[in-house]
Amino acid sequence: ACPLCGDGKIVKAPMAPNVATRKGRDDVPTDAAKRTAMAYMHAVREHVTKNFDPVGEKFAEEARKIHYGETDKRNIYGRATPNEAKELRDEGVEFGELPFPVGQETQ
């Protein structure tokens, strides 16, 4: 009988059991894939630091000045808080986010 309603006509629906297999392990990155990804990220970081102007904590302010034509258009990089990034997105300012190790985003 159903413990909730007391009905005696309980029918079990056919279903596939959730059995863990090794099949899903293909999604786990291999060491080679991790090394490739890290090498790519290092190359991107190196390109940015060599070709963009570092603006540090003033990233949001400088990005706005460029966006609104208050200063010459140029490539910049620096830090923005999550709130500043959201505000920039809401204003239509185009920018990308890169994971830089702490302390290296303005070097």
Side-chain angles (χ1 to χ4, degrees):
C2 174
L4 298 175
C5 68
D7 188 359
K9 291 186 173 186
I10 304 295
V11 178
K12 185 173 181 179
M15 58 184 244
N18 186 8
V19 178
T21 65
R22 294 187 54 83
K23 185 177 181 180
R25 296 220 168 195
D26 293 341
D27 296 342
V28 178
T30 64
D31 286 341
K34 289 177 188 175
R35 283 191 301 274
T36 300
M38 292 302 290
Y40 176 74
M41 290 306 299
H42 178 73
V44 169
R45 182 176 61 200
E46 187 174 331
H47 175 79
V48 168
T49 57
K50 285 183 179 179
N51 298 290
F52 290 40
D53 294 334
V55 295
E57 300 291 330
K58 295 182 180 181
F59 177 82
E61 179 183 336
E62 288 296 316
R64 279 189 184 94
K65 287 180 183 179
I66 293 167
H67 178 74
Y68 292 112
E70 297 172 14
T71 189
D72 292 337
K73 192 172 185 176
R74 70 189 198 283
N75 294 322
I76 62 171
Y77 74 99
R79 288 189 71 128
T81 66
N83 190 47
E84 289 172 328
K86 181 187 179 314
E87 290 171 357
L88 289 172
R89 269 189 221 92
D90 291 346
E91 291 178 46
V93 178
E94 291 185 28
F95 68 98
E97 296 181 63
L98 297 172
F100 277 82
V102 174
Q104 293 185 11
E105 61 280 332
T106 57
Q107 293 181 357

